[in-house]
Amino acid sequence: MCRSKTGGYYRMIREKIIRKLRVEPGKRITLKKFETGWAQDEELKTYDKDAVKERSNEILEANRLTLATSQELLWANNTHSVLIILQGMDTAGKDGTIRHVMSGINPQGCRVCSFKVPTPEETEHNFLWRYSRDLPRRGEIGVFNRSYYEDVLVVKVHPELLESQQLPPGKRGGRFWDARYEDINAFERHLVRNGTLIMKFFLHISRDEQKKRILERLETEEKYWKFSLSDLAERSYWDQYQKAYETMFAKTSTDAAPWYIIPADYKWVARTLVADIISSQIQALDLKYPVVSPEQLTQIESAREQLNNE
Ligand code: AMP
Ligand code: MG
């Protein structure tokens, strides 16, 4: 079945979907209730999937153009920065999403940082230190491929990792983790107050899809390099991770810096949604090209005249 659809119709559905993906501040959600598949909307499921995919690619393309313009405005204004945080289980598609969503924008105004296991130098400092070093400057879009949220995810699932963090002695129970969520919220509030627009995305894949993707890495020569034995090890902690994510959403999705749970079993769905949210949120800043002063205008006119008379 393929019914005809207009741009307005898709816009309405997109807005409805995006509202559903946003985690309400303070709300405890259950990840199992969030789809990993291609639609969060019953109505959309009744439409022909190829047609939706085609339309989705058009939207992605349009969003790339909008993003390019928004980035130019961001750069010209030099008052705001954008911080995009990507989290997800191994193979969730963080790298691919970055590549696709950011492909149209000027590399000069964009920085992508991937965070791995902290180095000894990094653990010499507070846990937020290494992330604050890599924050985007005013005018820039910064993408964090993993982030300080790892310090309440992988570290919470494997609390023995805390032993290498050189922390002062103390209990590592609920209060310890609550303090970390609180620190993260305070850190983000500080950034938002200083002109950073923060968007946090969780790429939500199913356990079956992860199996498929890991197998792909094991069966395709060109993908061997992507495989890490730790992917398999971490997979066995699937439920613990899902639980850590659920608590993290409840504690750190705020009005100022919301979390979005992105269905990611289909890469095109995830990419379109992420691009759509980023592009609409930057547009909502309503940035305009800086107005030049009358003196600058006189200088521009005289420079133009000078060149034309050469
Ligand atoms: P990848 O993103 O696949 O290159 O893997 C990076 C690895 O670094 C993942 O296994 C993460 O769990 C791990 N990692 C990232 N941040 C931290 C952290 N703060 N503490 C411990 N492990 C981390
Ligand atoms: Mg990996």
Side-chain angles (χ1 to χ4, degrees):
M1 178 176 49
C2 182
R3 290 186 234 156
S4 90
K5 298 157 287 288
T6 62
Y9 168 80
Y10 275 108
R11 203 169 313 119
M12 189 189 75
I13 297 240
R14 273 153 65 198
E15 282 166 13
K16 205 162 111 193
I17 293 175
I18 288 171
R19 263 199 309 278
K20 280 194 201 168
L21 303 179
R22 205 180 141 118
V23 181
E24 261 176 60
K27 188 169 176 195
R28 221 187 146 87
I29 60 103
T30 310
L31 271 175
K32 282 209 172 83
K33 289 196 184 146
F34 279 76
E35 274 189 59
T36 53
W38 70 288
Q40 295 282 319
D41 190 278
E42 288 308 313
E43 200 180 341
L44 204 57
K45 284 181 192 163
T46 65
Y47 290 91
D48 177 75
K49 191 166 148 193
D50 286 337
V52 178
K53 183 171 179 178
E54 197 183 311
R55 181 76 189 120
S56 164
N57 281 331
E58 282 166 28
I59 294 172
L60 182 57
E61 196 46 50
N63 279 329
R64 275 205 201 113
L65 295 176
T66 322
L67 254 178
T69 319
S70 304
Q71 186 204 17
E72 229 177 86
L73 278 167
L74 206 65
W75 185 259
N77 275 269
N78 208 29
T79 49
H80 290 75
S81 53
V82 176
L83 175 62
I84 297 162
I85 289 184
L86 283 175
Q87 288 288 157
M89 299 294 285
D90 292 308
T91 75
K94 298 185 285 295
D95 300 85
T97 303
I98 295 171
R99 206 168 49 240
H100 272 75
V101 174
M102 309 309 274
S103 62
I105 74 173
N106 182 351
Q108 187 170 243
C110 175
R111 56 164 79 188
V112 181
C113 302
S114 299
F115 295 98
K116 316 274 176 193
V117 179
T119 63
E121 193 207 356
E122 288 167 345
T123 56
E124 288 282 337
H125 299 265
N126 64 75
F127 84 96
L128 291 172
W129 180 76
R130 67 172 182 157
Y131 309 99
S132 55
R133 261 191 324 179
D134 282 327
L135 286 171
R137 296 174 197 186
R138 295 190 202 280
E140 286 183 340
I141 298 181
V143 184
F144 278 6
N145 182 350
R146 301 187 191 269
S147 63
Y148 38 87
Y149 284 103
E150 289 294 330
D151 293 271
V152 290
L153 290 168
V154 64
V155 184
K156 198 171 183 197
V157 172
H158 302 285
E160 65 278 9
L161 289 172
L162 285 172
E163 283 159 28
S164 58
Q165 293 202 352
Q166 293 173 243
L167 297 169
K171 290 190 182 152
R172 311 297 184 212
R175 277 203 192 157
F176 172 83
W177 296 109
D178 277 345
R180 284 208 162 181
Y181 299 123
E182 202 181 297
D183 288 345
I184 288 175
N185 287 339
F187 179 62
E188 290 185 343
R189 198 162 51 235
H190 165 69
L191 298 180
V192 171
R193 282 179 177 153
N194 277 268
T196 306
L197 170 65
I198 305 179
M199 287 167 267
K200 307 183 291 204
F201 299 101
F202 170 63
L203 301 185
H204 187 27
I205 52 165
S206 65
R207 202 160 190 262
D208 284 348
E209 181 61 24
Q210 192 197 46
K211 180 176 173 182
K212 215 174 95 195
R213 291 186 190 180
I214 295 180
L215 269 175
E216 235 170 70
R217 291 182 178 183
L218 297 171
E219 288 166 355
T220 321
E221 219 171 296
E222 292 76 26
K223 292 193 177 177
Y224 283 174
W225 66 273
K226 286 190 182 183
F227 176 71
S228 151
L229 205 53
S230 77
D231 294 353
L232 265 194
E234 293 315 294
R235 178 175 164 76
S236 64
Y237 291 91
W238 185 273
D239 291 341
Q240 289 92 322
Y241 271 105
Q242 303 286 299
K243 206 167 144 250
Y245 269 110
E246 286 170 356
T247 310
M248 181 196 81
F249 295 134
K251 302 275 186 182
T252 63
S253 197
T254 57
D255 280 327
W259 272 106
Y260 297 91
I261 300 177
I262 305 292
D265 278 357
Y266 296 95
K267 290 174 180 170
W268 58 273
V269 171
R271 289 166 188 173
T272 307
L273 287 170
V274 170
D276 212 36
I277 295 170
I278 299 173
S279 135
S280 62
Q281 294 300 303
I282 301 183
Q283 274 191 310
L285 291 175
D286 203 22
L287 298 173
K288 305 269 185 295
Y289 282 103
V291 181
V292 296
S293 65
E295 294 81 54
Q296 281 172 305
L297 209 57
T298 316
Q299 285 170 7
I300 289 169
E301 276 161 16
S302 96
R304 197 192 308 136
E305 214 170 80
Q306 206 178 316
L307 276 179
N308 281 335
N309 292 339
E310 246 181 29

